[in-house]
Amino acid sequence: MYIPGLGCLKGCLMVLLVLAVAGVALWNFTPLPQYWDNVVGWFDSARDWVNSVFGT
């Protein structure tokens, strides 16, 4: 049975699958988690500084 527009749907799903695999590969095989921890630590330090300055 032929469903019109299914080719586009399959293409979009394939792109999402490739992006998900690329994201997992980047997370597991690069130092990205350590960079993320550094960024989170910086934002925590900035938040603590703002809270100490403005007393909230």
Side-chain angles (χ1 to χ4, degrees):
M1 183 168 113
Y2 177 74
I3 301 173
L6 193 59
C8 181
L9 178 64
K10 285 192 282 189
C12 291
L13 290 175
M14 184 59 77
V15 168
L16 289 175
L17 179 67
V18 168
L19 288 175
V21 169
V24 169
L26 280 172
W27 190 261
N28 288 324
F29 300 118
T30 63
L32 192 61
Q34 289 86 13
Y35 297 152
W36 182 256
D37 289 340
N38 289 340
V39 170
V40 169
W42 185 86
F43 276 109
D44 287 342
S45 297
R47 185 187 62 220
D48 292 342
W49 178 80
V50 168
N51 287 338
S52 69
V53 168
F54 294 109
T56 56

